[in-house]
Amino acid sequence: MSPADYVHKEKIFDNTTIYAYTADPGAMGRAYHHFYLKCPRALGRYELIKIAKLNWMGSFEFAVVNDELIVDEENGTSHQYTLSDFSCD
């Protein structure tokens, strides 16, 4: 995995795009994963709507199932967030 693949992850589920950003300042502070709903805008632009901020998990996977963002850590812990509270409108 390249450093860019570690920092930036984006997946499309039907018409929902989720963007995950890992902020890892190294020894200077704590690392976090930020999850956003990515909304298309005019002229090729986009808007990021924040869904969640999670403590650093190392390796993780995420998916959208039944209008819920599910983030699975490598240790088996799972986090769920209802996406009905977020909209690109």
Side-chain angles (χ1 to χ4, degrees):
M1 178 184 319
S2 74
D5 291 336
Y6 169 73
V7 173
H8 306 280
K9 292 184 181 185
E10 183 175 313
K11 293 184 182 180
I12 300 171
F13 305 94
D14 294 324
N15 292 326
T16 303
T17 302
I18 302 295
Y19 171 72
Y21 171 72
T22 299
D24 188 354
M28 301 306 291
R30 293 189 55 143
Y32 295 97
H33 302 287
H34 302 269
F35 291 86
Y36 301 91
L37 176 63
K38 184 176 178 182
C39 300
R41 296 295 180 240
L43 305 173
R45 298 178 187 193
Y46 59 89
E47 176 183 5
L48 297 175
I49 299 173
K50 191 161 204 166
I51 299 169
K53 174 182 170 183
L54 296 173
N55 289 330
W56 186 81
M57 301 176 279
S59 179
F60 65 91
E61 291 295 326
F62 61 96
V64 173
V65 178
N66 296 328
D67 204 31
E68 286 198 350
L69 171 63
I70 301 170
V71 181
D72 293 322
E73 296 185 41
E74 64 184 343
N75 68 8
T77 303
S78 183
H79 308 270
Q80 296 183 349
Y81 302 92
T82 301
L83 295 178
S84 60
D85 298 337
F86 304 95
S87 173
C88 286
D89 297 332

